[in-house]
Amino acid sequence: MKRVVLGLFAAVVLSACAAHEKTGDRAAAMGDWKSAYASYRQALASEPDSPEIKLKFDAARAKALQDAQQRAQTCAQVNDWGCALAESDFALSVEPGNAEIASFRANAAQQVAMGQLDTAVEQAQQGQYAEAASLMDRALQLSPAPEVKTHAEDVRSIIITQGRAQADRHLHEGNFIAAHELAQLVLRLDGSASAWAQNIAAEYEHFITEEVERLSREGDAARAQHDWVRAQQRYGAALSLRQGGRAAPLEDYARHMALADQRIAGRDWNGAAEAYHVALRTGQDDGYANHQLERVQLRPYRVVLRSVLVTPVRPDGRAWVGTSNDIFTRLANRLTQMARQSGMSGLVKDLAMSIPHENRPRLRVEVLHPDGMHLTTLGRDGIYTAYDAEFVAVANAFDERRVGFQVYMDGPNGSELLGSVDVPMRELVEHREVSLEGRSVIALTLSTGGDGRQPGPYAGMARVLPAPPPGAQPPGARPPPPGRGQVASPTH
C-alpha cells in the first residue's frame, strides 16, 4: 500500500513538473522571460536533478534579469520612476546581492517617495488630511533618504497647522465626529496637541452619548409601532456610533422580528417560529413575540357550521318554493328587515320558523375545504336551518387560505345555488365565532375551536365525489344533477 501511495505521489509531481516546463517553453518562445523564469523555477523545484530544466532555468533567469535592468533604465530616462522601481524590485528578487541594482533601486524609491510627498502636500492644502498623512507614511516606508524625511516634515507641518484649524471649525459648526477624527490625526503627528485633542474628545463623547440615546429612542418608537425594519435601522445607527449598551440586544430583537415577518409573508411557519424564539432569547420581549409565536404555531382546528339563514324570497320577490300570498309576503318582508337591522336574533329565528311549510326550501351547504376536500351537509327544510356539521383543518392565525361555503336548494329537478360565501382560515382562528353573509345568504354562522385530532375528519357531512364519466352509472341509478358530483355517506 505504501509503495502505491509513493508511486501516485511521484506521478503527480512529475505531471506538475511537466506542466510548468511546458508553460515556461511557451513563454520563452514569446520572449516573455519573466513568466518563463517563474515557470522554470517551479518545474526545477519539482525536479531539481533535471539538467535540461536547469539549463532552461538559467537561460530564462539571465534573460529576465537583463530585460528588467534594461526596462528599469528606460523608465528612469523618461522619469517613470514607478516603472523603474518595479523593474528593479524584480531584478533584485532574481539577484539579491547585486549592489548596482540595489543602488539603482534606492534612487528609484527615493524619486517615487518624493513624488508621493508632492501629492501629499497638494492633498493637505486641499483639506484631504487623512489621505495626505497616509501617503506620507507610505513615502517614509519606501525610502529612508534624508531628502524624503525633510519633505515629509513639510507635509506633517501643513497637516498639523491646517488640520488643527479645520478641527476647531468643525467643532464650532457642531460636526463633532469630523472634529474628533481630525484631532486624533493631528495628535498622532504632534504629541504636544494632547490637551487640545482631549477637549475635543470630551465634546465628541458627550455628543455621541446624546446621539446614541436619541437614535435608540427612535428605535423604541418604531418598535412600539411594530415597524421592525425602521427599529432595526435606528438601533443599528446607534450601534455604529457606539457598540454595546441597550441598543445591542434591541437591534438583535428587531432584526429577528423583521425576519419573522418576512418568513410569514413567505408562509415559512417553522422559520418564523424559529425567528420568534431567537427574539425571545434576547430578553427584550414585551409579550408581543411570545403572542406572535402562539399565533404562528400550526394547530388542528375544528370548524363547526352552526346554521344558515337565507332570504325568504328570491331576488325577484317570489318564494323559493310554493306560492306567495299576502301573509307570506308580509312575514318575509318583516323577517328580512329585522335580520338586516339586528342580525341573527331570537325574534328573527322565530319569524323564520313561522314561514309556511310549503314555502320552506330544502337547504344544503357544500364546503370547499382549504386542503381541497369537497364536503356537503344533508338537506334540511327551512330558510333557517341548524346543522352542527364540522370539519378539522390545520391552520394558524396567518393562514390566508380560504374556506368556501355554497348554499344550495335541492329540488326534484336538481340543485340551485342560492349564494356563496368564503372566509380566510386566519379569521376563523382569530375570531372563533364568525357570521358570513352574501347573495341571498343573510347569515351563515361558524364557530372554531382547538382540536387534538389530525386534519381531515369531518362529521355531519359527506364527501362530494367527482362525477363519474358518462355511461358509468349502474343500471337503474339516477344520475346526479347537471354539473354536480356524487355524494358519499356522511361520517359521524
Side-chain angles (χ1 to χ4, degrees):
M1 179 65 182
K2 185 176 182 182
R3 291 180 180 177
V4 173
V5 173
L6 290 174
L8 289 172
F9 178 74
V12 170
V13 171
L14 289 173
S15 176
C17 175
H20 291 311
E21 185 179 4
K22 288 181 180 179
T23 302
D25 290 344
R26 287 194 295 270
M30 298 174 62
D32 183 0
W33 294 109
K34 285 183 181 179
S35 298
Y37 165 71
S39 297
Y40 288 142
R41 184 174 57 183
Q42 290 178 302
L44 190 62
S46 300
E47 197 173 347
D49 296 328
S50 172
E52 181 181 356
I53 296 176
K54 181 69 166 61
L55 286 173
K56 292 180 178 180
F57 169 74
D58 289 341
R61 178 181 179 278
K63 287 285 189 181
L65 181 60
Q66 182 182 0
D67 280 358
Q69 288 178 295
Q70 290 176 350
R71 289 174 182 167
Q73 292 293 340
T74 301
C75 291
Q77 288 173 5
V78 295
N79 292 325
D80 187 353
W81 294 108
C83 165
L85 179 61
E87 292 296 338
S88 58
D89 278 338
F90 174 79
L92 273 180
S93 72
V94 176
E95 194 170 288
N98 191 314
E100 182 182 352
I101 297 175
S103 176
F104 180 90
R105 192 265 175 203
N107 179 57
Q110 178 181 336
Q111 297 301 323
V112 171
M114 293 296 284
Q116 290 177 337
L117 291 171
D118 288 341
T119 302
V121 168
E122 294 176 1
Q123 291 177 331
Q125 290 174 341
Q126 294 171 3
Q128 302 173 16
Y129 304 110
E131 294 84 350
S134 176
L135 201 53
M136 180 188 70
D137 292 339
R138 297 210 310 268
L140 288 170
Q141 291 173 358
L142 188 60
S143 174
E147 294 87 348
V148 172
K149 292 181 179 178
T150 300
H151 199 6
E153 186 60 30
D154 295 336
V155 177
R156 175 178 171 274
S157 178
I158 294 173
I159 295 175
I160 291 172
T161 303
Q162 296 186 11
R164 184 162 180 164
Q166 182 62 53
D168 287 337
R169 284 193 292 271
H170 284 320
L171 190 65
H172 179 71
E173 294 166 357
N175 192 347
F176 298 98
I177 295 177
H180 177 65
E181 290 177 350
L182 192 49
Q184 292 303 303
L185 174 61
V186 171
L187 179 61
R188 179 171 71 83
L189 302 178
D190 181 12
S192 67
S194 176
W196 167 79
Q198 285 179 1
N199 288 334
I200 292 182
E203 295 276 0
Y204 166 79
E205 286 298 325
H206 178 71
F207 164 76
I208 291 297
T209 298
E210 290 190 340
E211 187 68 3
V212 166
E213 183 55 30
R214 181 186 70 80
L215 291 168
S216 297
R217 286 196 299 270
E218 289 183 359
D220 295 340
R223 175 190 174 198
Q225 298 297 320
H226 301 156
D227 185 350
W228 306 117
V229 173
R230 177 169 171 76
Q232 181 188 353
Q233 290 172 344
R234 296 293 83 192
Y235 292 134
L239 290 174
S240 69
L241 296 177
R242 177 179 292 158
Q243 290 295 308
R246 75 181 187 91
L250 286 168
E251 190 277 340
D252 193 21
Y253 176 82
R255 176 157 39 87
H256 283 91
M257 293 299 287
L259 178 60
D261 282 353
Q262 293 174 5
R263 290 176 173 174
I264 285 173
R267 293 180 57 83
D268 180 6
W269 313 129
N270 291 333
E274 179 185 357
Y276 285 132
H277 278 298
V278 177
L280 285 170
R281 287 198 292 270
T282 66
Q284 302 302 308
D285 186 45
D286 57 1
Y288 184 76
N290 191 59
H291 175 64
Q292 292 294 88
L293 180 59
E294 285 295 313
R295 296 180 69 215
V296 83
Q297 299 287 352
L298 288 173
R299 295 184 178 88
Y301 290 91
R302 183 166 55 93
V303 181
V304 181
L305 171 60
R306 294 295 184 191
S307 63
V308 63
L309 172 66
V310 300
T311 58
V313 295
R314 298 173 181 271
D316 62 5
R318 293 182 298 115
W320 293 109
V321 293
T323 57
S324 301
N325 53 45
D326 291 342
I327 297 177
F328 169 78
T329 300
R330 286 195 298 272
L331 183 60
N333 290 339
R334 174 66 170 164
L335 185 152
T336 301
Q337 182 182 15
M338 292 293 295
R340 298 301 184 193
Q341 291 176 351
S342 57
M344 186 75 79
S345 63
L347 177 58
V348 169
K349 292 179 184 179
D350 290 341
L351 290 172
M353 299 303 294
S354 301
I355 293 292
H357 287 278
E358 64 173 318
N359 299 122
R360 296 182 183 182
R362 169 151 291 210
L363 299 183
R364 180 172 53 82
V365 180
E366 291 191 6
V367 178
L368 304 178
H369 194 282
D371 292 334
M373 188 165 49
H374 193 174
L375 304 171
T376 182
T377 65
L378 297 176
R380 293 187 179 178
D381 293 339
I383 62 168
Y384 169 76
T385 306
Y387 287 103
D388 284 336
E390 63 184 57
F391 63 87
V392 176
V394 172
N396 63 21
F398 301 97
D399 194 344
E400 294 290 344
R401 294 178 303 159
R402 305 188 78 83
V403 190
F405 300 89
Q406 298 175 329
V407 181
Y408 286 93
M409 178 179 67
D410 290 338
N413 297 321
S415 299
E416 179 182 349
L417 179 64
L418 274 62
S420 300
V421 293
D422 60 27
V423 61
M425 279 301 304
R426 60 171 174 77
E427 188 170 336
L428 295 175
V429 170
E430 290 281 77
H431 298 293
R432 301 302 176 97
E433 300 288 338
V434 175
S435 180
L436 307 176
E437 62 178 277
R439 179 177 64 88
S440 300
V441 178
I442 295 176
L444 187 145
T445 58
L446 305 165
S447 64
T448 307
D451 195 294
R453 291 180 289 176
Q454 293 299 312
Y458 49 89
M461 288 187 282
R463 293 286 296 271
V464 177
L465 304 178
Q473 292 89 353
R478 186 176 65 180
R484 308 295 302 150
Q486 290 183 325
V487 178
S489 299
T491 298
H492 297 280

